[in-house]
Amino acid sequence: MFPGWTAAELFSEYNESVSLSDRVLNWNLPENGRVDRVSDIESVFPRRADFLESSSPQDLFRDARTIDLAGISLNILCQQCSDSEVLRMMREGTFIRCLFLDPDGLSIQARELEEGHAPGALTSLTRLNIHMLQRVRSKWKSTMGGNIAIRLYDAPARFNICIVDSKVCVMQPYLPFARGLESPTFVARQNGSRGIFQTFSEVFEEMWREGTEPAVEQNQGIPA
């Protein structure tokens, strides 16, 4: 996915974000001597925690019109942003789509085992986060410009995806035996080419189409 970079470089100790746009890739140099750059990757962070130190959720979501999230518990919104912050987003016209790993499904149990959690640890956290958003969503009024939609999926957790304004995608893989905070994080920006942004935007949309609404507060005027 990132030719020209060694595993040691991608997973080296964090000092600051690593810009890929300024680095010319020199692998498989064609006969005409022309090289290409990674099309839309802006930066790589060894861990999600490092990314959050560089760009807080409040900075990332400030003035956003749309926020699309897919992952396990979606802590970047539910644990990093307060109820009042999420409610403010709704008032100011932000539409938020949240796709959680189903807390009642088999895949979340498999992920708990893989990460070494006690049974029910991720399940309880995910239920708590869903309830938090449902609580905020219950305060929705027709005068508000934005809203929150919640769906669930039950499949192996492969990626955590955050897309803001259909322009910026923050993506990280879920690694075996490692928590999400410990996984490398990639930031891509839509530039019109078919790159990382387009790939994960399509992944999100397909997962969203296949998702189901939670049993609680189902069909209460929340946009799909």
Side-chain angles (χ1 to χ4, degrees):
M1 183 180 293
F2 300 104
W5 288 74
T6 67
E9 288 172 327
L10 288 176
F11 292 89
S12 61
E13 183 178 354
Y14 172 76
N15 292 314
E16 60 182 355
S17 62
V18 182
S19 175
L20 295 181
S21 60
D22 296 331
R23 176 165 178 163
V24 177
L25 306 181
N26 56 12
W27 75 301
N28 293 339
L29 187 66
E31 293 182 0
N32 62 10
R34 180 179 177 180
V35 296
D36 295 323
R37 297 172 182 265
V38 173
S39 60
D40 59 355
I41 290 289
E42 285 195 342
S43 51
V44 178
F45 297 83
R47 302 177 306 151
R48 186 202 304 171
D50 300 321
F51 165 74
L52 292 175
E53 287 182 9
S54 173
S55 178
S56 70
Q58 288 74 21
D59 292 334
L60 184 64
F61 299 148
R62 184 174 292 117
D63 302 323
R65 308 309 296 173
T66 62
I67 301 171
D68 295 329
L69 300 168
I72 299 178
S73 304
L74 308 187
N75 288 333
I76 192 171
L77 176 71
C78 301
Q79 295 294 320
Q80 300 289 327
C81 296
S82 66
D83 289 22
S84 59
E85 287 174 314
V86 178
L87 189 60
R88 176 193 57 77
M89 294 181 200
M90 291 171 58
R91 289 196 186 104
E92 295 180 358
T94 306
F95 285 88
I96 306 172
R97 292 189 292 177
C98 294
L99 185 62
F100 291 90
L101 190 60
D102 190 346
D104 295 317
L106 296 177
S107 296
I108 199 166
Q109 297 176 30
R111 186 61 190 177
E112 286 175 341
L113 182 62
E114 189 171 45
E115 290 190 15
H117 291 296
L122 287 178
T123 298
S124 298
L125 175 60
T126 303
R127 285 198 182 113
L128 176 67
N129 287 352
I130 292 172
H131 176 69
M132 172 265 187
L133 289 183
Q134 289 175 330
R135 183 176 65 245
V136 174
R137 190 173 65 174
S138 68
K139 301 176 183 179
W140 180 83
K141 299 178 181 179
S142 59
T143 55
M144 293 183 179
N147 216 321
I148 301 171
I150 302 170
R151 291 187 183 180
L152 309 175
Y153 72 102
D154 187 14
R158 296 184 177 95
F159 301 103
N160 184 295
I161 302 172
C162 172
I163 300 174
V164 179
D165 287 338
S166 298
K167 294 179 180 178
V168 177
C169 175
V170 181
M171 181 280 294
Q172 65 174 125
Y174 285 114
L175 301 179
F177 317 116
R179 295 175 57 205
L181 282 173
E182 299 166 345
S183 298
T185 300
F186 308 94
V187 181
R189 184 177 296 273
Q190 171 69 279
N191 65 3
S193 67
R194 182 166 184 83
I196 300 301
F197 177 92
Q198 186 68 27
T199 296
F200 285 97
S201 178
E202 292 175 1
V203 167
F204 175 86
E205 293 298 340
E206 182 63 27
M207 293 176 66
W208 183 258
R209 282 192 294 270
E210 297 294 325
T212 60
E213 292 186 7
V216 179
E217 292 195 352
Q218 205 167 15
N219 299 325
Q220 292 193 9
I222 304 303

